[in-house]
Amino acid sequence: MNGSTCVHDAPSLIELLLAAQDGDARGVAGFNDLCTDSAGRVWAGALRFFPFKGEPPVPGDLWRLDGPGRAERVSQEVDWPNGVAVSPDGGDLYLC
């Protein structure tokens, strides 16, 4: 797995993650880290530059994927969206 591919049992989730070249996701270079919450949603940090190609850092985003065809950018201008986690009670989202 790398920052531009994701393997998951649900083809619709893969399609949603990899279709991130439309709308607000235009310019996403790849997904850096992701997690799930107790509601089954996927939280994914999106990079907007290629760090291993020597590109200068550009702020990225945090995305919430609610199911097939439903994704929302919930935060933008994140320096390096990494270390995504949700507290056990679902009350807190952590993004390092």
Side-chain angles (χ1 to χ4, degrees):
M1 178 190 272
N2 64 38
S4 63
T5 61
C6 181
V7 177
H8 189 275
D9 288 337
S12 58
L13 179 58
I14 295 169
E15 292 167 8
L16 187 59
L17 285 170
L18 298 181
Q21 297 305 311
D22 297 323
D24 290 335
R26 188 170 289 117
V28 168
F31 293 92
N32 189 45
D33 204 354
L34 59 86
C35 73
T36 58
D37 63 19
S38 61
R41 298 174 296 195
V42 175
W43 296 83
L47 292 174
R48 292 189 174 270
F49 72 104
F50 294 95
F52 298 112
K53 291 183 179 180
E55 292 184 4
V58 174
D61 312 312
L62 178 65
W63 287 80
R64 185 185 67 232
L65 298 100
D66 295 317
R70 296 189 315 261
E72 180 180 354
R73 182 172 55 180
V74 295
S75 182
Q76 53 190 357
E77 301 298 318
V78 180
D79 286 341
W80 188 289
N82 197 14
V84 182
V86 178
S87 65
D89 67 1
D92 293 300
L93 177 74
Y94 305 101
L95 180 62
C96 299

